[in-house]
Amino acid sequence: MPELPRAHWLLAIYARDVLLRLDEVKATVTSTYGSILKMDSTKKVVKKVAGAAAGTAAWATNVGNEYGQVLITVLTAAEGDGIGKMAVGLISRYKMAKVDPPQVMYVDRDCCAVHGHSKTHTLFAEWDALRVRLDIWHFMRRFAHACTTESHQLYGIFTSKLSACIFEWDAEDVKRLCEAKQAELPEQHITGLADGKVMQRVKRKEMALHCRRRTRGEEETTSLIWVLIDVFDSDQGHDTCNERAAPEPRVNPRGLGHARATQNQTNGVTKFGAQLASPDTCIIYSGGQPCAKSARFGGGHWKKR
């Protein structure tokens, strides 16, 4: 029986194969574009850097598009620092490929300025029509910081209700999923359930898999968040130790127009005769303004690939 190749040999062959296709890989990586961009920084990637480069960077800044594809990644010594060359390179890539500049960029910081343009808008000054908005997850985190502590008994309830103030499930998708679930239950010898009872049988994972989510819209969400803050700022916001979850509303929800709804892709299948959501559908919320190539739908926008 021939001896099996060792890991070192397999790694060497893989490295040579990548080197032979290096030009093709570079061309593929630099041919990725998008009209809706997201820039974010993380430490997780940097912690995986080994060898001589270990410890030389503290942050990895990524720019991705509306389909979850990464356009560019750079390593920096501080968050948001030294990314000017990255911005210049990204602008040059769009210009050389003769691709229309992106319409919106969502960030985790530096989205606003008291006077003039924000720091992010200044970085991409050549894209004069670019709108810079705050990512919805970081928007929610700013409310979470107003809570007394993350270990508070009502913290989980507060964040859950905050998410419900911003997002809602598409009613048509939910209806089709309930029809599919109702057709599935007889196989489990369960019959005669009312619509409400059928909905209780739908798991959260099934909702995320087959139903789209959208933002409620700026006005409705702002109103709901103020109601939520008032509730948690009252006696109902006390835990069993009589400590408030949110002692005072230190965050103003009027900045909601700068927030972005998290993309929520779904898998399209036919389940027990019901056609559920398509896999190439996601939502983009652009602060109450329509995106090009998207269909207007209330406060948010359904965007097709």
Side-chain angles (χ1 to χ4, degrees):
M1 183 176 179
E3 184 180 357
L4 294 176
R6 297 179 180 276
H8 181 75
W9 182 87
L10 292 173
L11 185 60
I13 295 300
Y14 172 75
R16 291 173 186 174
D17 178 61
V18 172
L19 289 175
L20 290 174
R21 297 183 290 106
L22 190 58
D23 292 338
E24 179 185 350
V25 171
K26 286 183 178 179
T28 302
V29 171
T30 56
S31 297
T32 304
Y33 302 95
S35 59
I36 310 294
L37 301 185
K38 163 71 184 298
M39 183 168 65
D40 195 9
S41 299
T42 179
K43 287 186 174 181
K44 293 181 180 180
V45 176
V46 179
K47 292 179 180 179
K48 298 180 182 296
V49 178
T56 57
W59 290 88
T61 301
N62 308 286
V63 177
N65 61 15
E66 61 268 41
Y67 307 125
Q69 300 168 321
V70 177
L71 276 66
I72 191 171
T73 300
V74 296
L75 300 180
T76 60
E79 185 179 12
D81 184 39
I83 59 175
K85 291 183 178 180
M86 180 201 72
V88 172
L90 200 55
I91 293 172
S92 176
R93 185 195 301 182
Y94 271 78
K95 189 182 299 183
M96 292 176 63
K98 297 182 180 180
V99 176
D100 293 335
Q103 305 164 52
V104 187
M105 175 173 287
Y106 297 100
V107 295
D108 58 348
R109 53 178 293 171
D110 300 327
C111 60
C112 306
V114 178
H115 303 289
H117 295 294
S118 65
K119 184 177 179 181
T120 302
H121 199 282
T122 303
L123 279 173
F124 299 92
E126 290 191 36
W127 292 338
D128 51 359
L130 181 70
R131 299 195 298 272
V132 180
R133 297 290 184 264
L134 178 65
D135 179 82
I136 193 67
W137 189 85
H138 293 91
F139 173 78
M140 294 175 63
R141 286 296 302 166
R142 282 154 174 74
F143 281 92
H145 283 307
C147 293
T148 305
T149 173
E150 293 187 4
S151 61
H152 194 281
Q153 294 177 13
L154 299 178
Y155 177 81
I157 298 176
F158 175 79
T159 53
S160 176
K161 296 299 182 183
L162 178 61
S163 177
C165 290
I166 299 172
F167 298 106
E168 64 179 353
W169 295 104
D170 178 51
E172 289 298 322
D173 289 348
V174 173
K175 180 181 177 181
R176 287 194 293 267
L177 180 59
C178 286
E179 292 173 354
K181 177 60 72 172
Q182 198 161 21
E184 178 185 2
L185 289 177
E187 292 192 355
Q188 303 174 9
H189 307 288
I190 301 174
T191 57
L193 293 182
D195 292 343
K197 295 292 184 179
V198 173
M199 187 61 193
Q200 293 177 5
R201 297 266 177 180
V202 177
K203 299 178 181 178
R204 179 76 179 186
K205 289 184 178 180
E206 291 178 319
M207 292 282 290
L209 186 65
H210 301 300
C211 300
R212 295 168 291 184
R213 286 199 307 172
R214 63 180 293 271
T215 49
R216 296 177 179 273
E218 183 177 344
E219 293 184 4
E220 182 181 359
T221 298
T222 303
S223 175
L224 291 174
I225 290 179
W226 275 123
V227 172
L228 178 67
I229 291 176
D230 289 340
V231 169
F232 275 82
D233 198 42
S234 67
D235 293 338
Q236 298 181 48
H238 288 232
D239 62 4
T240 54
C241 297
N242 202 32
E243 184 178 1
R244 292 178 182 270
E248 57 180 350
R250 298 194 292 265
V251 184
N252 191 339
R254 286 181 296 177
L256 183 65
H258 284 203
R260 167 219 187 230
T262 305
Q263 297 179 11
N264 186 34
Q265 299 182 359
T266 59
N267 293 333
V269 295
T270 300
K271 186 174 182 180
F272 290 92
Q275 182 63 39
L276 304 180
S278 169
D280 60 353
T281 304
C282 63
I283 60 171
I284 298 293
Y285 178 62
S286 60
Q289 301 183 26
C291 299
K293 303 178 183 178
S294 67
R296 180 76 183 189
F297 190 83
H301 307 279
W302 300 116
K303 185 173 178 64
K304 295 286 186 179
R305 288 190 185 185

